[in-house]
Amino acid sequence: MSKVKTKGTVRKLKKELKKVKEFGPAMAALSDEELSHQTDVFRQRYESGESLDKILPEAFAAMCEADKRVLGMFPFDVQIMAGIALHQGYLAEMNTGEGKTLTATLPMYLNGLTGESAILVTNNEYLALRDAEEMGPAYRFMGLSIAAGVKRDEDDKFGNDEKREIYKSDIVYTTHSALGFDYLINNLVKSADDRFMRKFNYIIIDEADSVLLDSASTPLVISGAPRVQSNLYEAADFFVRTLKEDVDYEVEEKNVWFTEKGLEYAENYFGVDNIFDPKYFEIYRHLVLALRAHKIIEKGTEYMISEAGEVALIDASSGRMLKGVKLRGGQHQAIECKEQVEITQENRSMASITYQNFFSMFPKMAGMSGTIYDAKEELFDVYGKQVVVIPTNRPVQRVDCQDWYFNNSKKQFEATIQLAMKKHRTGQPVLIVTTMIADTEIISQLLVKEGVPHSVLNANNAFWEADIIKEAGQMGAMTVATSMAGRGTDIKLGPGVSELGGLAVIGVGRMQNIRDERQARGRAGRQGDPGYSRFIISLEDDIVEKSVDTKKLEKFIDDKKKISDLRIKRIVNGAQKTNEEFGATHRKTAKDYDLVLQLERKLMYDTRNKLLDGGTVEREKLLQIAEDNIDVFLKNHRKLTKQELNRFLLDNISYRMEKGSSYVNLRKRKAVKKYIMSRVEKSLDEKIAELDSMPAMRDFVRVSALSAIDDAWIEQVDYLQQLQAAVSGRASAQRNPMYEYHAEALEAFGKMELDIKRNIIKNVLLSEVRIDKENKLHIILP
């Protein structure tokens, strides 16, 4: 099957477009009341069995008319075509400035008619709130409810009741992270009344390549109660500082591992005989975390030290500082130790999911972006989605000039300033885009020397992002920004700028992937405006330093030996290709790691939902579970003593000691088992008598089972998060990290099942339980 659908699909879209336009005059002739009433008509037709595909031409025509009357904007033909593609589940590439926000109103309205969930996600709160606020009046005019799932103040959180109202809306605008976290939180609730989400139905992902690819390497993780703080971070950090590259460890792209010599050194240093022995799991885990912190995770591109002296992560796709987000599994603490800032508490992971597996849960998923075509193969392989390239409304007039190549960053920055000044002197607005925060600061200093007023947009001042980007198209404006900061906000040209050639985009350095470069160029020349773009490249670009042995390039960088532009181009483009391949591999690895968790997560969430919806564990099943627990106990105690038997009874069945245990023949396993089972049944009967109500007993057992499942599941998720970090360093010693992870995860799942069974019986038999005067159940778990 083709991974990209363009010519053939565009022809089909044009046929559908023709049908939509045929209904245009009829919709335009309706009064406001008659137009909004069409929603009731469409809903009745849908409820009578007519498909959305059949309703589409009239519904799109009605919404186009609503957009015109309420928003003052009638969608262009290409926007209607893109809306049809989004309804059909395609990933639509629309050039920057082609009006994706307005486009989305058409398929969102159509799918909102179903009364099921229709959700649009984008990659930041500002865009979600802006789009919900700006498009909301049109939806409401047509009788649909709309809500935003995020707030302006990130610290101001919604309660469950508020979330329930939000997700009850016909249409919801939110961010990919907020939606994902809500899904995880919704599956951690203790009561059916606390659930707030509906079943997933239709979703549109705005800036789809950023969400589905750039954000897909890091899973969503809900953190809970803090774990006991480790004192191994400092020891591991000190040890790693003593290591020698290519002797004790090896680095390849974004991977690092200990050599055999390095492992032997670690065993001698920490006084252990086998670093891979499970009892030394924590030592090895901390060594891997420290090694990654020092050799892989880069300051300035992946994290920064905030003004408050804290390690803050940076969003690679936008250059924004990720407030409140931490690396999982102790990696964040290892970086804090490296940077010698206060080490924060490592929290227990309670729930986790990758974006790949999360978005695959939606029956209907679509997406749109200005730069999605270049990732068509990976998107098809991972999500099974085809890309369609939507034609532009007007021909692109932007002039994309050939790259300039230099052997070092000094000449690169000089050329950047010279070109920027040349454009600036004419009054043409200039946007200089870099890959690193440090580069924005260097360029800013050089512009200060030239006496040029300018705005700087990076992770340090993302609060002003939209305002800075909006002004970037005004005559004489000079703006310096990291990567794709301001993505989703159009740069509109000020008066007289078109005559000067439009916005000039100067890219400094080869970016992480071709998509980012196309996104940067796309800031200029929106909707047929004139524009200019050029990238200025050097051998000292960050991407080259990550992927190439720079020692071999030193003679060229230092001007000791000449190098041709063609060779620089090959080296830099090769580095970018390597980085893109690594990114795809890293995302696949994240998905593969989550595969085990995905299967377990579905089983656990399904079980929880059955219990929340009124299911319980019947007496026969409880007795079977108790019998299984006893079998495991006896298997692990071949030479059973009275003390061991009494300890088991006290810990699992009853806090009361009985003389009967003294008369049991411990060498007769059947007799021991029979005696323990009699104690189980006795304790169970006492609980039933204590509650004096079978409905109350069923509720009590349900709560007990739910608690046992949650406790064990949280331990499992937390362990697997740590395990991922630990096995990543096992590429040494000819080990297959993924195979080892799956094997150990499967073994851990078996242990979790045993823990659940043991704790269900323990909770049922040992909990304190009572019913108060208002007939409310009170439970104190052991």
Side-chain angles (χ1 to χ4, degrees):
M1 188 181 288
S2 174
K3 300 173 181 65
V4 58
K5 292 275 191 176
T6 301
K7 290 182 180 178
T9 303
V10 168
R11 280 197 297 270
K12 291 177 183 176
L13 294 176
K14 283 181 177 177
K15 286 182 181 178
E16 285 294 311
L17 167 66
K18 189 177 178 183
K19 295 178 187 177
V20 173
K21 296 189 78 172
E22 286 173 357
F23 286 100
M27 295 300 171
L30 298 176
S31 67
D32 286 356
E33 189 178 340
E34 289 170 332
L35 181 60
S36 61
H37 178 65
Q38 292 302 303
T39 297
D40 294 331
V41 175
F42 298 147
R43 278 184 157 161
Q44 287 169 9
R45 286 166 57 183
Y46 176 75
E47 289 165 7
S48 298
E50 195 169 346
S51 70
L52 290 181
D53 292 343
K54 287 279 183 68
I55 300 170
L56 184 149
E58 291 165 84
F60 268 41
M63 195 61 199
C64 284
E65 184 63 26
D67 286 339
K68 177 186 173 184
R69 295 186 190 185
V70 180
L71 306 177
M73 298 182 287
F74 192 94
F76 298 126
D77 287 359
V78 291
Q79 291 175 307
I80 297 171
M81 288 165 58
I84 296 166
L86 291 171
H87 167 69
Q88 293 175 350
Y90 285 103
L91 299 175
E93 174 167 303
M94 298 176 70
N95 271 17
T96 301
E98 287 294 299
K100 293 188 287 291
T101 305
L102 185 64
T103 294
T105 62
L106 306 178
M108 289 296 284
Y109 170 71
L110 177 63
N111 286 272
L113 295 171
T114 63
E116 300 172 15
S117 73
I119 300 172
L120 187 146
V121 297
T122 189
N123 62 357
N124 68 64
E125 290 80 5
Y126 167 76
L127 291 177
L129 288 164
R130 182 201 69 182
D131 294 353
E133 191 173 302
E134 292 182 358
M135 302 298 112
Y139 293 125
R140 294 187 188 99
F141 174 85
M142 291 300 291
L144 296 189
S145 56
I146 174 176
V150 291
K151 289 187 176 182
R152 280 184 170 77
D153 184 353
E154 293 178 15
D155 296 325
D156 186 10
K157 304 296 183 185
F158 288 115
N160 282 12
D161 290 340
E162 291 176 292
K163 287 182 181 179
R164 191 176 299 107
E165 288 303 309
I166 289 167
Y167 287 109
K168 268 170 46 179
S169 300
D170 297 313
I171 291 167
V172 175
Y173 279 68
T174 186
T175 64
H176 58 294
S177 57
L179 182 65
F181 280 126
D182 278 349
Y183 166 74
L184 293 176
I185 292 167
N186 193 60
N187 282 284
L188 288 172
V189 298
K190 300 294 185 182
S191 162
D193 294 336
D194 291 333
R195 287 185 298 199
F196 51 82
M197 296 191 92
R198 295 196 283 170
K199 282 187 177 180
F200 292 148
N201 179 40
Y202 178 69
I203 189 167
I204 294 177
I205 303 167
D206 190 15
E207 304 295 353
D209 57 324
S210 174
V211 175
L212 297 178
L213 298 177
D214 300 328
S215 298
S217 300
T218 306
L220 290 162
V221 179
I222 296 281
S223 296
R227 54 174 50 258
V228 176
Q229 189 72 317
S230 169
N231 60 0
L232 286 170
Y233 288 114
E234 290 87 351
D237 186 80
F238 182 84
F239 171 77
V240 163
R241 291 176 190 270
T242 69
L243 301 179
K244 296 177 182 176
E245 187 170 350
D246 296 328
V247 177
D248 300 311
Y249 68 91
E250 293 178 1
V251 181
E252 183 179 311
E253 296 165 15
K254 294 286 284 183
N255 288 315
V256 63
W257 58 85
F258 288 102
T259 61
E260 289 292 341
K261 189 170 182 180
L263 291 172
E264 187 178 328
Y265 175 32
E267 288 170 346
N268 291 332
Y269 184 90
F270 286 94
V272 302
D273 51 359
N274 177 11
I275 198 76
F276 292 122
D277 191 304
K279 64 186 176 184
Y280 303 127
F281 174 81
E282 283 298 312
I283 293 176
Y284 181 71
R285 178 173 80 94
H286 281 77
L287 291 179
V288 171
L289 293 173
L291 191 62
R292 286 179 57 79
H294 278 272
K295 310 302 176 184
I296 296 296
I297 303 171
E298 295 184 73
K299 185 177 181 180
T301 55
E302 295 177 72
Y303 74 91
M304 59 182 284
I305 305 300
S306 70
E307 292 179 359
E310 299 172 345
V311 170
L313 301 185
I314 298 172
D315 184 343
S317 65
S318 68
R320 296 183 185 92
M321 187 167 65
L322 295 170
K323 187 178 178 182
V325 178
K326 291 186 179 182
L327 291 171
R328 66 196 191 283
Q331 189 65 73
H332 206 88
Q333 287 70 25
I335 295 172
E336 290 170 332
C337 192
K338 165 195 168 184
E339 296 294 341
Q340 297 182 352
V341 300
E342 184 181 351
I343 299 177
T344 57
Q345 187 71 51
E346 181 185 351
N347 289 333
R348 194 177 297 276
S349 298
M350 297 177 66
S352 172
I353 193 170
T354 60
Y355 283 115
Q356 293 100 318
N357 286 324
F358 177 61
F359 287 119
S360 296
M361 295 168 65
F362 283 82
K364 289 180 67 177
M365 181 186 87
M368 53 188 180
S369 172
T371 52
I372 208 164
Y373 177 81
D374 299 290
K376 59 186 181 297
E377 292 185 1
E378 185 180 353
L379 289 165
F380 183 80
D381 292 342
V382 175
Y383 298 98
K385 289 292 173 183
Q386 295 171 322
V387 173
V388 59
V389 179
I390 305 297
T392 56
N393 187 47
R394 296 174 184 167
V396 176
Q397 293 189 52
R398 185 184 63 246
V399 178
D400 294 327
C401 299
Q402 289 189 338
D403 298 341
W404 285 349
Y405 296 94
F406 296 93
N407 61 324
N408 59 47
S409 59
K410 183 176 183 293
K411 295 177 183 177
Q412 178 186 33
F413 288 132
E414 287 173 354
T416 299
I417 297 301
Q418 287 172 12
L419 178 59
M421 291 303 299
K422 180 182 177 183
K423 298 289 181 184
H424 181 66
R425 288 188 193 103
T426 69
Q428 188 173 4
V430 178
L431 171 63
I432 302 175
V433 182
T434 74
T435 59
M436 298 176 66
I437 294 173
D439 289 350
T440 63
E441 292 168 351
I442 291 170
I443 290 169
S444 178
Q445 289 169 7
L446 293 173
L447 288 172
V448 169
K449 286 182 181 178
E450 295 287 339
V452 179
H454 60 281
S455 299
V456 178
L457 180 55
N458 55 34
N460 291 321
N461 63 344
F463 179 80
W464 306 105
E465 181 174 306
D467 293 329
I468 292 173
I469 287 295
K470 281 178 182 175
E471 296 301 314
Q474 301 302 309
M475 189 177 291
M478 179 73 73
T479 310
V480 185
T482 47
S483 184
M484 281 331 301
R487 188 170 180 164
T489 305
D490 285 345
I491 300 177
K492 296 179 181 178
L493 302 184
V497 171
S498 290
E499 291 76 11
L500 297 173
L503 177 69
V505 173
I506 302 173
V508 182
R510 185 59 81 227
M511 294 196 167
Q512 300 295 312
N513 52 61
I514 293 171
R515 291 181 291 107
D516 282 355
E517 292 184 7
R518 286 186 61 210
Q519 188 76 229
R521 291 186 193 275
R523 306 319 293 263
R526 61 181 291 278
Q527 292 188 5
D529 285 342
Y532 169 97
S533 75
R534 186 188 295 277
F535 272 80
I536 302 176
I537 312 301
S538 88
L539 289 176
E540 290 190 286
D541 286 350
D542 180 56
I543 200 166
V544 178
E545 293 180 351
K546 287 179 180 178
S547 308
V548 180
D549 185 356
T550 50
K551 291 178 183 177
K552 296 177 182 177
L553 302 177
E554 284 178 358
K555 56 189 175 184
F556 303 117
I557 293 171
D558 297 338
D559 283 325
K560 293 177 182 176
K561 193 172 181 180
K562 288 193 173 183
I563 184 170
S564 67
D565 284 2
L566 183 61
R567 190 173 176 192
I568 295 175
K569 181 179 179 180
R570 278 204 302 266
I571 292 170
V572 177
N573 288 359
Q576 186 185 60
K577 186 178 180 183
T578 298
N579 185 73
E580 287 184 318
E581 289 170 350
F582 171 78
T585 301
H586 190 47
R587 289 187 287 270
K588 183 180 183 301
T589 300
K591 187 183 180 188
D592 289 345
Y593 273 132
D594 196 53
L595 185 61
V596 171
L597 202 56
Q598 180 189 11
L599 299 172
E600 295 180 10
R601 182 168 50 238
K602 186 177 187 313
L603 176 64
M604 301 305 290
Y605 286 1
D606 286 349
T607 304
R608 287 188 93 257
N609 284 330
K610 285 178 184 176
L611 290 170
L612 288 172
D613 290 331
T616 189
V617 184
E618 300 297 342
R619 182 186 177 94
E620 292 73 19
K621 184 63 178 176
L622 283 174
L623 292 175
Q624 181 59 58
I625 293 172
E627 190 173 343
D628 292 343
N629 292 345
I630 295 166
D631 288 340
V632 171
F633 169 68
L634 293 176
K635 183 180 178 182
N636 293 334
H637 295 81
R638 295 292 183 185
K639 295 181 179 179
L640 187 64
T641 66
K642 285 185 179 179
Q643 288 81 2
E644 289 170 337
L645 174 60
N646 288 333
R647 186 74 265 162
F648 178 79
L649 293 170
L650 287 169
D651 288 344
N652 296 276
I653 295 166
S654 175
Y655 290 136
R656 290 200 309 272
M657 292 294 297
E658 292 188 1
K659 292 182 180 179
S661 62
S662 304
Y663 304 116
V664 178
N665 188 336
L666 299 181
R667 284 176 291 184
K668 293 185 177 181
R669 317 296 280 185
K670 288 184 178 178
V672 175
K673 181 177 177 179
K674 185 178 179 182
Y675 172 73
I676 299 174
M677 280 300 297
S678 70
R679 293 289 303 273
V680 170
E681 293 195 56
K682 183 179 179 182
S683 293
L684 198 55
D685 291 337
E686 287 172 354
K687 276 288 182 295
I688 294 171
E690 196 174 339
L691 289 169
D692 194 27
S693 164
M694 285 312 295
M697 183 64 188
R698 279 193 289 271
D699 284 344
F700 165 58
V701 171
R702 179 169 63 252
V703 172
S704 297
L706 199 59
S707 176
I709 289 169
D710 286 349
D711 289 346
W713 176 237
I714 288 169
E715 285 296 325
Q716 174 76 345
V717 171
D718 187 54
Y719 172 69
L720 293 184
Q721 291 297 321
Q722 295 176 63
L723 184 62
Q724 285 181 31
V727 300
S728 67
R730 296 188 191 176
S732 57
Q734 291 77 51
R735 291 169 176 249
N736 182 327
M738 193 59 67
Y739 173 80
E740 296 211 357
Y741 174 79
H742 281 195
E744 291 188 35
L746 189 61
E747 183 181 343
F749 185 74
K751 291 178 180 176
M752 181 188 73
E753 284 188 302
L754 295 176
D755 287 342
I756 290 173
K757 286 183 174 182
R758 183 173 62 253
N759 287 330
I760 286 175
I761 299 302
K762 183 176 179 179
N763 288 349
V764 170
L765 301 183
L766 296 182
S767 292
E768 291 183 32
V769 59
R770 66 182 177 83
I771 298 177
D772 64 18
K773 294 177 181 178
E774 297 177 359
N775 213 30
K776 288 183 179 178
L777 192 64
H778 295 265
I779 304 168
I780 302 176
L781 295 167

